[in-house]
């Protein structure tokens, strides 16, 4: 391969087995700085959201009906990426060097003179068993464990798998990529002396919401797997340690285990909700229906932000408004004190929490995040501030917001200016095939966190899976659902994400 000058470095990063929480801090930091990200199917969608907005994302895995990019082409692609970008991340499931072909990529980079680094990941070989309640070693059972692959390079004519050696090995045995030839491999092992009565397990989609596990013995595992319809990706564990699973299986006790839940909010904001649901054991499909974009008139917005310190009140209608406002504010001003002595109103606890990140407390906030409630709160607390008549207010909101706040404050003789901080548009990217997953696999619960998520979800024309229940974040979202003839099965008590998560658990 010719040595061409490389602009940057390639980081071969292990994504872990599926749970984004199992990514290393170093890996996450590099993903957030990457100019280019090359990934395949086993990388969790949540990790894609850690990238910068302008990061070039390249999918090289299998797509429905299409084969994955051949390894030599991936190798060449990485060399090209390094020539074009300063920081290229090659994200690989589990650990890059455990049957991940990371070695081949590293060799190709080395041959092309491209600098690279490796960030190890948690391999499914250890995480798979752990998430199924199986410790790969246990003092009383074993003093060693063996990891092997059940599926060799398709190009190889003869198996070089050391069946006799594996059969004779002591301790726990973990097989990756073994599902397509499971029956043959287990038979071959038994023929070579592996005890058929030894406990064995298969764990599919370990450390994800779709985790499925079956335990049996070496002799009966192939049948059990067939019966439970367990296929790739799965790890197979053979050894006495498997017998500990009934005691040590912590995962199936999680409250949302076995439930598939759809999250429709923006990719950037999805993580807070997804993470909480995932931690409770849910299988989360992140299907962002909307994206927060610049306001139509950026100049108007910038001017409103510059003038903000002159108002008596700043009224924030959404967490997105707060974020966008302060992004623009700090582009002009360096010091939060430039905001002046304005009083601050927030439509609800989520918006107040966002303001708190900037060290700002709110003077008026209703418990329920609804515009009408904010007005009622102004009416209740008005006297403390000498009322709102003849008071100047800057109302910071998204272009699609309802007009209630403006109209009602004007009615009360406030002098209200508007600061249009963003617009909500349809999300058109679906890099991980979430829509196809929803169509094919269905879902138990779908969550709506705003009216726009409802409208944009409906615009996608996806069939709502049969029996799928609906959780709404609050009354306005519920009213929008009603416009489409839908009644949520539950509404969050508080119009906050934690409250929505609580509601989802009640739907169990
Ligand atoms: N480098 C990866 C392995 C890649 S080979 C690692 O260290 O985990 C692909 C195989 O890994 C799959 O066939 C399956 O056996 C296993 N695997 C990867 N992710 C898995 C998961 N979440 N659950 C079960 N098995 C998984």
């Amino acid at each position: 391969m010719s040595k061409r000058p490389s602009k940057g470095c390639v980081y071969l990063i292990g994504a872990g087995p599926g749970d984004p929480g199992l990514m290393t801090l170093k890996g996450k930091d590099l993903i957030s700085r990457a100019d280019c990200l090359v990934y395949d199917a086993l990388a969790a969608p949540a990790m894609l959201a850690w990238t910068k907005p302008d990061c070039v994302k390249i999918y090289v895995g299998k797509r429905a009906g299409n084969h994955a990019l051949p390894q030599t082409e991936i190798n060449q692609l990485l060399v090209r990426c390094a020539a074009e970008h300063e920081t290229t991340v090659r994200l690989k499931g589990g650990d890059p060097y455990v049957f991940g072909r990371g070695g081949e990529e590293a060799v190709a980079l080395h041959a092309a003179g491209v600098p690279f680094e490796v960030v190890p990941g948690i391999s499914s070989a250890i995480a798979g068993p752990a998430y199924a309640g199986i410790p790969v070693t246990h003092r009383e059972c074993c003093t060693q464990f063996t990891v092997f692959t059940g599926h060799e390079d398709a190009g190889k004519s003869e198996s070089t798998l050391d069946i006799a050696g594996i059969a004779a090995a002591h301790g726990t045995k973990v097989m990756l990529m073994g599902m397509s030839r499971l029956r043959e491999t287990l038979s071959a092992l038994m023929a070579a002396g592996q005890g058929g009565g030894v406990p064995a397990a298969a764990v599919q989609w370990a450390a994800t919401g779709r985790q499925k596990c079956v335990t049996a013995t070496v002799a009966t595992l192939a049948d059990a797997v067939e019966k439970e319809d367990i296929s790739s990706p799965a790890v197979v564990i053979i050894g006495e340690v498997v017998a500990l699973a009934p005691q040590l299986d912590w995962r199936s006790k999680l409250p949302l285990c076995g439930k598939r839940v759809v999250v429709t909010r923006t990719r950037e904001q999805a993580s807070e909700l997804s993470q909480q649901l995932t931690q409770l054991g849910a299988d989360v499909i992140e299907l962002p229906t909307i994206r927060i974009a610049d306001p139509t008139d950026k100049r108007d917005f910038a001017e409103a932000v510059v003038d903000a310190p002159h108002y008596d009140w700043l009224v924030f209608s959404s967490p997105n408004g707060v974020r966008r406002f302060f992004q623009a504010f700090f582009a002009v001003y360096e010091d939060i004190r430039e905001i002046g002595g304005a009083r601050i109103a927030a439509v609800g606890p989520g918006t107040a929490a966002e303001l708190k990140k900037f060290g700002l407390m709110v003077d008026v906030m209703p418990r329920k995040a609804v515009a009408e409630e904010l007005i009622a709160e102004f009416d209740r607390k008005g006297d403390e501030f000498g009322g709102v008549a003849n008071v100047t207010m800057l109302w910071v909101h998204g272009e699609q917001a309802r007009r209630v706040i403006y109209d009602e404050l004007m009615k009360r003789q406030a002098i209200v200016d508007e600061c249009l901080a963003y617009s909500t548009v349809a999300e058109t990217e679906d890099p991980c095939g979430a829509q196809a997953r929803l169509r094919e696999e269905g879902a138990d619960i779908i969550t709506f966190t705003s009216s726009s998520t409802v409208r944009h979800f409906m615009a996608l024309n996806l069939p709502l899976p049969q029996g799928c229940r609906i959780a709404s974040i609050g009354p306005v979202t519920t009213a929008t659902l009603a416009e489409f003839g839908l009644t949520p099965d539950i509404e969050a008590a508080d119009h906050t994400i934690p409250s929505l998560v609580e509601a989802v658990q009640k739907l169990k």
Side-chain angles (χ1 to χ4, degrees):
M1 202 175 283
S2 68
K3 299 215 183 236
R4 50 164 129 172
S6 119
K7 184 173 173 188
C9 185
V10 175
Y11 297 88
L12 299 172
I13 297 182
D19 180 346
L22 295 179
M23 163 62 76
T24 59
L25 294 174
K26 184 167 181 180
K28 185 175 182 192
D29 177 53
L30 284 163
I31 291 172
S32 70
R33 291 195 277 123
D35 306 303
C36 176
L37 180 87
V38 181
Y39 68 105
D40 42 42
L42 289 178
M47 293 177 190
L48 303 184
W50 298 341
T51 54
K52 300 186 290 193
D54 58 349
C55 171
V56 179
K57 299 187 214 61
I58 307 173
Y59 181 75
V60 293
K62 278 184 219 146
R63 274 260 155 86
N66 284 328
H67 286 296
L69 210 60
Q71 190 62 47
T72 46
E73 283 180 37
I74 298 179
N75 298 351
Q76 287 160 11
L77 173 76
L78 290 177
V79 173
R80 274 203 309 279
C81 290
E84 284 163 24
H85 303 281
E86 214 150 288
T87 304
T88 296
V89 163
R90 167 65 172 128
L91 194 57
K92 299 178 76 72
D95 178 85
Y97 280 177
V98 176
F99 301 124
R101 308 192 72 169
E104 288 163 66
E105 293 173 12
V107 167
L109 292 168
H110 169 73
V114 175
F116 68 91
E117 289 186 24
V118 180
V119 182
I122 297 184
S123 175
S124 60
I126 52 168
Y131 268 60
I134 301 168
V136 282
T137 71
H138 192 63
R139 196 147 183 264
E140 290 147 27
C141 307
C142 61
T143 51
Q144 69 179 60
F145 70 98
T146 308
V147 178
F148 67 103
T149 167
H151 172 89
E152 288 183 281
D153 202 326
K156 280 191 201 164
S157 54
E158 263 175 51
S159 173
T160 49
L161 206 61
D162 177 15
I163 289 287
I166 297 165
H170 294 285
T172 310
K173 297 156 200 180
V174 178
M175 174 164 67
L176 302 190
M177 289 182 280
M179 297 312 279
S180 59
R181 296 174 46 82
L182 183 65
R183 198 174 286 279
E184 293 92 319
T185 310
L186 292 177
S187 301
L189 284 172
M190 283 189 288
Q194 166 72 56
V198 173
V203 192
Q204 184 186 20
W205 285 118
T208 75
R210 339 186 211 177
Q211 177 171 322
K212 241 166 115 177
C213 177
V214 61
T215 54
T217 64
V218 175
T220 58
L221 187 67
D223 286 339
V225 156
E226 230 172 78
K227 191 160 157 252
E228 295 296 323
D229 196 20
I230 287 183
S231 57
S232 190
V235 292
V236 172
I237 306 117
I238 298 172
E240 295 303 330
V241 286
V242 172
L244 289 162
Q247 292 165 59
L248 304 188
D249 172 17
W250 49 276
R251 205 173 181 287
S252 63
K253 298 195 182 80
L254 297 176
L256 290 176
C257 187
K259 297 277 171 214
R260 190 170 304 128
V261 186
V262 184
V263 169
T264 53
R265 62 196 324 223
T266 65
R267 206 177 302 287
E268 291 71 30
Q269 288 177 298
S271 61
E272 187 195 351
L273 177 55
S274 306
Q275 251 170 33
Q276 293 185 28
L277 295 169
T278 305
Q279 271 166 18
L280 293 165
D283 176 13
V284 175
I285 301 186
E286 274 191 15
L287 197 157
T289 53
I290 53 168
R291 190 164 57 77
I292 302 302
D294 285 335
T296 317
D297 195 332
K298 287 202 261 189
R299 211 193 153 107
D300 249 17
F301 170 50
E303 280 171 12
V305 172
V306 170
D307 287 344
H310 305 303
Y311 288 85
D312 300 317
W313 279 88
L314 299 174
V315 181
F316 292 94
S317 260
S318 66
N320 281 319
V322 175
R323 259 191 300 277
R324 288 268 164 168
F325 177 88
F326 283 102
Q327 237 171 29
F329 182 85
F330 286 117
V332 183
Y333 301 106
E334 274 180 26
D335 190 332
I336 187 70
R337 287 171 295 184
E338 301 279 1
I339 198 87
R343 291 191 193 278
I344 296 179
V347 76
T351 305
E354 207 54 42
L355 283 158
K356 202 160 179 214
K357 291 186 190 160
F358 299 95
L360 296 168
M361 303 302 283
V362 295
D363 301 282
V364 166
M365 178 196 83
R367 212 176 70 84
K368 260 197 167 173
V370 182
E372 286 81 354
E373 299 276 336
L374 177 63
I375 297 301
E377 195 65 13
F378 263 117
D379 289 344
R380 255 195 302 277
K381 284 186 114 178
D383 289 343
E384 285 176 36
F385 311 118
V388 297
N390 301 319
V391 160
T392 57
M393 295 183 151
L394 185 65
W395 176 37
V396 183
H397 63 100
E399 286 174 8
Q400 284 77 12
R402 295 182 306 137
R403 308 289 311 162
V404 177
I405 291 181
Y406 183 85
D407 293 345
E408 293 300 318
L409 288 172
M410 290 293 269
K411 255 192 223 160
R412 289 160 179 75
Q413 262 93 52
I415 303 155
V416 187
D417 284 336
E418 293 186 57
C419 172
L420 277 76
Y422 61 94
S423 77
T424 305
V425 298
E427 174 60 271
T428 48
E429 279 186 29
D430 183 13
C432 295
Q435 294 189 20
R437 252 198 93 193
L438 181 62
R439 251 198 220 103
E440 284 157 23
E441 299 174 19
D444 301 293
I445 299 162
I446 181 162
T447 58
F448 290 106
T449 42
S450 66
S451 291
S452 349
T453 59
V454 176
R455 289 189 207 289
H456 286 278
F457 178 80
M458 293 303 166
L460 288 173
N461 263 326
L462 287 169
L464 211 54
Q466 204 153 32
C468 180
R469 289 182 297 166
I470 300 175
S472 156
I473 198 163
V476 179
T477 304
T478 298
T480 309
L481 281 162
E483 284 176 31
F484 293 92
L486 297 170
T487 315
D489 296 273
I490 198 152
E491 186 182 287
D494 251 6
H495 204 301
T496 60
I497 295 300
S499 169
L500 180 63
V501 172
E502 254 172 54
V504 166
Q505 287 183 73
K506 288 196 189 123
L507 278 179
K508 228 161 58 83

